[in-house]
Amino acid sequence: MEAATRAPAAVDIAGTIERVRALAQSRVAPLAARIDREGHYPADVLRALGEAGAFRQHLASQSGTGQADLLGAIQSMAAVSAECLSTGFMTWCQDACGWYLECSDNPWPREHLLPKLAAGERLGGTGLSNPMKHYSQIEALRLAAVETPEGFLVNGTLPWVSNLGPGHLFGTIFSVAGRGSPRDVMALVDCAEPGVSLRPCPPFMAMDGTGTYAVQFENVMIPRERVLADPVGPYLQTIRGGFILLQAGMAAGLVSSCIQLMREVEPLLGHVNDFCDDGPDALEAELADALSEVGTLCHAPLDPSPEFFREVLEVRLVAGELSLRAAQSAMLHQGARGYLMSSPAQRKVRESYFVAIVTPALKHLRKELDRLARAA
Amino acid sequence: MAAARWVCRACGIVYDEAKGDPDSGIAPGTRFEDIPEDWRCPVCGVGKADFMPMPEAPVRTAAPCAAPRGRGIVVVGAGTAGWAFARAVRERDPDVPVTLVTACDGDVYHKPLLSVSVAKGKRREDLVQAGGAAKARELGVRLVCRAVALRIDAVRRRLVTTRGTIAYRDLVVATGSRPRRLPLEGDAAGEVIAVNDLEGYARLASVAKRGRRVAILGAGLVGCELAANLAEAGVGVLLVDCAAGPLAGQVAPEAAAALASRLAALGIATRWSSRARTLRREGAGLSLGFDDGTEERVDAVVGATGLEPAARLVAKAGLADASGIPVETGSLRTSDPHVYAIGECASARGVRYGYIEPIVAQAEACAAILTGGEAAFEPEPPLVRLKMPALPMAWGRVAGAASPLAWRTAGGVPGEACYEAGEHGKLEAFVLTGALADRAGEWQARLAR
């Protein structure tokens, strides 16, 4: 059993975002191309971001202020994403994993694992893509478990889980048959657990260094102390808002860096870029509007109501669409120089599709919003 | 002073004197003019002559485009108001792009028929006058169907929908109304059928087909029409209202009493001054519980307790209040100069117009304004007709008439009578029952303006 880690040291909260931004510029930016194209997984940088406080702002028990500052976490994630969306995405993975533990009624993972996740000492991800699609009637749940006196024996394969590596943690959901009533249960999985194997994915079009694997479960024993919610239903309704709201950090960082790329060429190309569809001023205003909406929703992220969830999904949809437009516009503003493989503009274009495709994808958001509107 | 940064005209890479070009052996701090003449752009290979000093200030020759390009009128909602607007725009302007966004298929139908068609054996498809796609082709408008309009970005003039985001020049909100939620409790509370669109009608028709007992909550115009129509179709009907009789507050008490006895004669069971509180599943049917503790077994429950404006779409843009979407009466314009509202969602000085005639008039006025014409919607008191063969009724009243009205009989016998209200020779309201309802046009013309 792992020893309880110390309570978080007094943290300079106000300085977190600035520290994270400085790290993003000094350590993330130089690695961006390698992470993007060579599949380099920046474990050291992630640990350093954790040390700087990037993974604890949204966790009231770890933030040092007793408050959950989701918007702060989003701003830190944005600073990272502006330099490298892969690292921004892994920041989100880590944030989401901590969020699951923070919101769980089970004290064990909260006491024994959360402090390490919040500090970046242990890295973690989220295996909720498949379950989220399952609950939107898009695909079947891929993990199934049999209940035993000690816990759950899990089998199946979970595709596309990110920010993984030996000893990393992630939260996921499996269906349970056997003893008791059939139900879905959420638990924390340790990649080092016997029976868990990580199979590398084929190369991606961007963001290759995100530690993304297909996770195979062969008779994996999940002890009860690792269970986050049983049954998962009501818990899922409280965590889903924060899970999706935090993704705004990826979009905000990507969009602001695209605006920066447009501004960069303005002195030279402003006279012709005036004829582009989305200029930097317009995009900046849109980003500010979306972020102010996100900020409002961050005040009560655990609201389980469908109306709150609709608002969250809507602003996520807006952020996804804005990411696509901003990257496209950055490319068109930069013109030929953006087309060079050495230019960040072309990388932003590839990265922007990730914001639109990562769960919940734009089409998934629209399907869910359609369902919620018709049910209201 | 020499520029510290030079830019390649061909590829745009910047030579920064402070950084030099170490890969080509140019040390940091090397001034551009000191670079050997055979130096080449490290990215694209052009020579020194193709570099120019980095301009410091933006060079703008064109003003940002003032008018958004290629944008047209976007209408949300393909009900009576939306289609009437599309038709009216096309009559005036064959070219302006019109996009109609709707959550359904956009099929065209006459809404007043929803409450009176079951007894005639009409199916959902029998009520469709034209398919949405066909109507859109005929009018030359773009139909975006099965799309839920999510939000308006009024600053950028964009409508976000579940089928994509659409830019507009002007937006016309014609989202209509939605059934008011009943404060029912119980595991079947969500099973109440609302007959407010074709889908609701299809549910009603399928319930009626099985000859069951149906409770109708609300004995207003629609509730009474539905009750009579289902009874005619052989369905057992229980009509419930919290008032002491049908059409409470709308017509003269004598007319309401005549209607009540005619409903009873049709075999319709009634519960007046009664409120439904709970709806629970019981066996294959439902149990409807009332405020006095009693319960009734029914097979289905239809809600007809009124409508509220469907204004969520614009609420977030700050364009809605409790009354609906406030518009300037004549122009139908909201407080946003590029957003209009027509039909049941629009509220002109607190009044919402829920009947076909004023809705079409609003659509036509709005279409005229948005195609550069001059027009204004002028509210007329609507003529309301109860479409019930057993006791046809028609009534009208002027806006702002005193409430409650002092009714008096103006002739006829119960079941075929005229009732009127008003003072000093001014007719403020009238009700005609039975065969006299045919003369509603004359009475309507006499209403005090």
Side-chain angles (χ1 to χ4, degrees):
Chain A
M1 194 159 133
E2 298 178 54
T5 341
R6 68 199 179 282
V11 195
D12 168 20
I13 297 304
T16 302
I17 296 166
E18 284 322 308
R19 274 199 308 280
V20 170
R21 179 166 295 134
L23 266 177
Q25 284 163 1
S26 66
R27 295 194 55 190
V28 177
L31 285 174
R34 273 187 71 200
I35 297 169
D36 174 44
R37 291 169 57 196
E38 295 169 28
H40 171 71
Y41 178 73
D44 295 348
V45 173
L46 288 170
R47 294 211 168 81
L49 286 169
E51 213 170 302
F55 308 143
R56 63 168 79 252
Q57 289 157 283
H58 62 306
L59 308 171
S61 73
Q62 307 294 320
S63 64
T65 60
Q67 304 292 318
D69 179 12
L70 267 74
L71 191 60
I74 287 167
Q75 285 164 334
S76 289
M77 195 188 304
V80 177
S81 303
E83 303 301 339
C84 168
L85 192 69
S86 307
T87 314
F89 170 51
M90 290 184 280
T91 300
W92 175 77
C93 292
Q94 186 81 10
D95 280 357
C97 191
W99 182 244
Y100 303 155
L101 273 62
E102 176 86 352
C103 298
S104 169
D105 285 337
N106 182 358
W108 194 90
R110 225 174 33 235
E111 284 162 16
H112 294 80
L113 299 171
L114 186 55
K116 294 180 182 184
L117 279 167
E121 288 167 30
R122 285 198 73 168
L123 298 175
T126 155
L128 280 206
S129 175
N130 162 250
M132 296 260 299
K133 288 183 206 161
H134 169 67
Y135 295 121
S136 288
Q137 284 87 45
I138 294 173
E139 60 186 45
L141 213 50
R142 299 200 191 251
L143 295 180
V146 175
E147 192 167 8
T148 72
E150 297 77 38
F152 299 92
L153 204 58
V154 184
N155 279 286
T157 300
L158 210 52
W160 318 107
V161 188
S162 297
N163 203 30
L164 295 191
H168 291 205
L169 301 162
F170 66 96
T172 194
I173 295 174
F174 42 79
S175 62
V176 181
R179 288 165 36 126
S181 52
R183 62 199 194 276
D184 296 342
V185 171
M186 181 154 169
L188 193 65
V189 179
D190 189 330
C191 293
E193 214 71 64
V196 174
S197 49
L198 304 183
R199 283 185 312 171
C201 296
F204 296 118
M205 116 175 179
M207 307 187 49
D208 229 9
T210 48
T212 303
Y213 296 89
V215 187
Q216 214 168 334
F217 287 69
E218 262 180 284
N219 293 322
V220 176
M221 185 65 215
I222 306 284
R224 287 192 190 275
E225 62 193 18
R226 299 276 169 117
V227 169
L228 297 173
D230 177 9
V232 77
Y235 170 75
L236 211 52
Q237 287 186 352
T238 60
I239 61 167
R240 62 187 183 179
F243 173 94
I244 293 170
L245 275 175
L246 285 166
Q247 292 181 336
M250 290 193 267
L254 178 78
V255 171
S256 64
S257 67
C258 289
I259 292 168
Q260 183 53 37
L261 286 172
M262 290 176 222
R263 295 228 188 276
E264 213 170 277
V265 293
E266 193 156 282
L268 202 63
L269 300 175
H271 63 288
V272 58
N273 281 349
D274 268 353
F275 293 87
C276 286
D277 276 330
D278 291 299
D281 294 344
L283 289 168
E284 197 154 65
E286 277 187 69
L287 177 61
D289 284 358
L291 272 176
S292 112
E293 213 174 316
V294 166
T296 306
L297 294 170
C298 280
H299 289 142
L302 301 173
D303 185 342
S305 72
E307 188 47 41
F308 176 76
F309 195 48
R310 276 174 89 177
E311 308 260 342
V312 171
L313 294 178
E314 278 184 18
V315 75
R316 171 70 177 83
L317 178 64
V318 166
E321 291 184 351
L322 185 58
S323 297
L324 290 177
R325 280 197 288 122
Q328 151 115 331
S329 205
M331 188 74 196
L332 297 177
H333 276 69
Q334 287 246 326
R337 74 211 57 198
Y339 204 70
L340 294 169
M341 210 59 201
S342 57
S343 160
Q346 52 79 27
R347 174 165 54 86
K348 303 286 174 191
V349 170
R350 290 181 288 113
E351 287 178 346
S352 72
Y353 286 103
F354 183 79
V355 182
I357 288 172
V358 68
T359 303
L362 294 192
K363 59 188 177 182
H364 180 173
L365 289 162
R366 289 176 179 177
K367 180 173 193 256
E368 196 63 15
L369 282 164
D370 182 274
R371 186 185 69 76
L372 288 167
R374 290 177 199 280
Chain B
M1 199 177 86
R5 300 169 83 212
W6 293 69
V7 60
C8 173
R9 289 180 214 262
C11 74
I13 195 173
V14 174
Y15 175 80
D16 187 333
E17 292 182 346
K19 294 179 182 165
D21 178 16
D23 290 346
S24 307
I26 310 293
T30 306
R31 298 199 311 167
F32 188 75
E33 51 261 47
D34 296 337
I35 296 175
E37 290 306 311
D38 61 353
W39 178 81
R40 300 257 154 203
C41 169
V43 170
C44 71
V46 300
K48 258 184 91 173
D50 281 310
F51 277 69
M52 65 176 210
M54 184 78 177
E56 292 303 326
V59 184
R60 283 187 189 273
T61 54
C65 300
R69 284 157 288 166
R71 294 180 178 214
I73 302 170
V74 174
V75 187
V76 187
T80 303
W83 280 119
F85 174 85
R87 197 197 60 235
V89 166
R90 272 298 166 263
E91 282 168 1
R92 295 163 170 276
D93 185 336
D95 299 321
V96 61
V98 175
T99 302
L100 200 58
V101 176
T102 173
C104 63
D105 287 326
D107 291 347
V108 182
Y109 66 101
H110 190 57
K111 194 172 175 190
L113 292 180
L114 294 181
S115 50
V116 295
S117 296
V118 166
K120 297 194 183 91
K122 302 274 189 199
R123 296 162 304 166
R124 177 200 183 281
E125 52 268 38
D126 297 328
L127 296 187
V128 175
Q129 296 166 337
K135 192 68 183 177
R137 262 197 308 279
E138 179 197 322
L139 293 176
V141 305
R142 175 180 167 225
L143 180 70
V144 181
C145 62
R146 305 220 150 257
V148 176
L150 299 171
R151 56 166 59 201
I152 295 165
D153 180 346
V155 179
R156 266 74 60 174
R157 282 196 254 165
R158 275 203 294 261
L159 175 74
V160 181
T161 84
T162 55
R163 305 274 172 186
T165 295
I166 304 164
Y168 60 82
R169 187 197 79 196
D170 292 289
L171 182 73
V172 178
V173 181
T175 43
S177 56
R178 37 180 295 154
R180 196 169 287 144
R181 273 277 161 117
L182 290 160
L184 285 180
E185 305 210 336
D187 61 353
E191 303 280 299
V192 177
I193 299 171
V195 189
N196 194 42
D197 54 21
L198 285 172
E199 303 328 308
Y201 178 80
R203 284 184 72 192
L204 179 74
S206 98
V207 163
K209 221 167 161 180
R210 279 163 279 173
R212 298 157 145 206
R213 184 162 197 245
V214 173
I216 296 171
L217 306 181
L221 174 78
V222 169
C224 291
E225 286 181 348
L226 282 169
N229 198 255
L230 288 181
E232 195 187 324
V235 179
V237 176
L238 169 66
L239 183 60
V240 181
D241 201 291
C242 56
L247 299 179
Q250 296 191 60
V251 299
E254 294 87 342
L259 176 59
S261 65
R262 208 56 68 94
L263 290 168
L266 290 172
I268 294 166
T270 53
R271 284 184 75 123
W272 304 125
S273 308
S274 185
R275 257 178 227 279
R277 293 288 186 207
T278 59
L279 185 59
R280 288 194 311 272
R281 265 176 259 279
E282 199 173 294
L286 301 169
S287 172
L288 184 62
F290 294 88
D291 49 2
D292 62 1
T294 58
E295 297 196 350
E296 298 259 9
R297 282 292 306 262
V298 293
D299 297 298
V301 176
V302 174
T305 49
L307 301 167
E308 57 189 22
R312 180 188 188 269
L313 172 68
V314 297
K316 224 174 317 187
L319 300 178
D321 65 18
S323 73
I325 307 170
V327 292
E328 200 264 308
T329 308
S331 68
L332 289 316
R333 191 181 287 131
T334 68
S335 56
D336 181 305
H338 295 288
V339 180
Y340 295 74
I342 57 175
E344 289 182 281
C345 61
S347 151
R349 283 194 223 103
V351 180
R352 286 188 293 127
Y353 294 88
Y355 299 100
I356 300 295
E357 223 180 324
I359 288 174
V360 171
Q362 286 186 334
E364 286 173 348
C366 188
I369 291 163
L370 288 179
T371 49
E374 276 183 29
F377 168 62
E378 285 168 16
E380 293 277 330
L383 174 61
V384 187
R385 287 179 188 278
L386 178 71
K387 299 176 292 304
M388 189 176 133
L391 184 67
M393 284 173 64
W395 63 90
R397 73 161 67 181
V398 297
S403 189
L405 289 159
W407 291 98
R408 56 183 176 272
T409 307
V413 292
E416 192 165 327
C418 312
Y419 307 94
E420 60 178 23
E423 286 174 6
H424 314 299
K426 284 190 168 180
L427 181 65
E428 291 198 310
F430 66 89
V431 186
L432 309 172
T433 65
L436 290 175
D438 290 344
R439 294 171 50 197
E442 300 161 30
W443 283 78
Q444 180 77 358
R446 285 177 46 210
L447 278 178
R449 297 296 145 97

